[in-house]
Amino acid sequence: MDKRLWIFRHAETELNRKGMVQGKIDTHINDEGLRQSKALFEKYSGHGFEKILVSGLQRTHQTMRPFIEAGIPYEVHPAINELSWGYQEGMMPTAESTEDYHRVVCAWESGDLHTKLREGESAHELRERLVPFIEH
């Protein structure tokens, strides 16, 4: 049987609007996010989705709320929560934090998946929590 997996990013939050690092901070979508959620539903509601899978973060559930309210079954999976960006969460990017971020991403691109930001999560740790979800 042919199945498709559709992946949608959550709608806008205030932290997104302000350009702040969000990561695992559990925020609500804002008014623009509500508009985006409605537009997403209007564009994709006829695609016959069998199930909605959302992370444990409010913004993902709120983004998909119109589909859920239309009666499409859903499941919450904290394993697919956003990567933790550690000390940078809730901050506006600075020259130092941007340099730190690029250092980590370059390490990942070079195969060092254990590198992470202070108090953050590594790509290896992310993989460890995503593999069981993917197998599910």
Side-chain angles (χ1 to χ4, degrees), residues 8 48 61-62 66 70 97 100 106 115 123 133:
F8 299 107
H61 187 271
Q62 292 166 342
S97 68
D100 241 4
C106 284
T115 299
F133 169 78

Side-chain angles (χ1 to χ4, degrees), residues 100-123:
D100 241 4
Y101 167 81
H102 287 296
R103 175 188 56 78
V104 169
V105 171
C106 284
W108 293 347
E109 290 172 346
S110 298
D112 178 4
L113 303 181
H114 292 279
T115 299
K116 59 184 172 182
L117 293 171
R118 186 176 69 249
E119 302 167 20
E121 185 175 23
S122 71

Side-chain angles (χ1 to χ4, degrees), residues 55-80:
S55 78
L57 301 172
Q58 297 174 74
R59 60 189 180 258
T60 62
H61 187 271
Q62 292 166 342
T63 299
M64 300 310 291
R65 181 173 286 141
F67 294 92
I68 294 165
E69 288 176 348
I72 300 174
Y74 75 99
E75 295 176 1
V76 177
H77 292 272
I80 59 174

